[in-house]
Amino acid sequence: MRILVVEDEPKIAAAIKRGLEQEAFSVDVVEDGDSGLSYGLSGDYDAIVLDWMLPGSIDGKAVCEELRKKGTKTPILMLTARDSVGAKVAGLNGGADDYLAKPFAFDELVARIHALLRRPAGLDQTKLSAGKLRLEPATKVVTYGAKSVRLTAKEFSLLEYLLRHKGRVVSKDELITHVWSDDDDILPNTVEVYVGYLRNKIDRPFKSTLVQTVRGFGYKIVA
């Protein structure tokens, strides 16, 4: 899953990016309100972590309001040092889905992002499954039947995205957009290579065919 972080404090931005990448998210970081609005309008993110106080012509609250005015439905988590009830109400009324006051515990940030990612589908996605395959986004546990499956962070992110869109054909471009960040070095066959890694770990050992290729279109998970 791909996250946009809009944060102008370099140390905080770097810490969030590093931590979220360790949680198998792909992360892009921008440092001002104008860039945050531009990136957010691209529609290529699964969630946005947005600081309130930002340099540029617009602050985080204005970015949030503008994104909503233009129809962007991406879940937004607002970060700010303002922890008054009035500030929280203003942020939420401006279109934010959640609000986290600084300083914050990183574990809480991750938990809130997972909660936001569950909302759009309106389903309980604390566990994702297909047949005997189970994936728990919060704990990063993957099992097939009673057996544990060990995946790298990128393999986990790829499998999670496919499972969240189970039954639907997902194109290579969509996978690149949501599983890899802008600073990743993506080769033309990168997606094929990682799909091959998944098949070697969740299909071939268990003689299943969960990960399927739809030639000319992309890939899908079927139970």
Side-chain angles (χ1 to χ4, degrees), residues 1-5 13-29 47 49 106 109-111 113-114 140 153:
M1 307 296 282
R2 192 176 188 186
I3 308 295
L4 172 64
V5 175
I16 293 174
K17 178 178 173 65
R18 183 170 59 251
L20 290 179
E21 287 178 340
Q22 290 175 352
E23 292 290 323
F25 290 107
S26 292
V27 184
D28 292 330
V29 176
V49 177
F106 182 74
L109 173 67
V110 173
I113 290 174
H114 280 301
K140 301 297 179 287

Side-chain angles (χ1 to χ4, degrees), residues 92-169:
L92 293 171
N93 285 342
D97 296 276
D98 200 358
Y99 188 106
L100 188 58
K102 296 178 179 178
F104 53 85
F106 182 74
D107 287 346
E108 183 178 3
L109 173 67
V110 173
R112 287 174 181 263
I113 290 174
H114 280 301
L116 290 179
L117 291 174
R118 293 197 295 271
R119 290 181 187 178
L123 300 172
D124 178 6
Q125 292 191 319
T126 56
K127 294 183 181 180
L128 304 172
S129 64
K132 295 181 179 180
L133 179 68
R134 299 286 185 276
L135 179 148
E136 298 181 18
T139 61
K140 301 297 179 287
V141 172
V142 179
T143 56
Y144 192 101
K147 295 186 177 181
S148 176
V149 179
R150 299 187 64 180
L151 301 178
T152 66
K154 194 61 66 180
E155 291 165 358
F156 183 94
S157 184
L158 175 59
L159 179 60
E160 180 184 2
Y161 193 82
L162 288 171
L163 283 171
R164 287 186 184 274
H165 299 84
K166 181 174 62 176
R168 177 171 74 81
V169 178

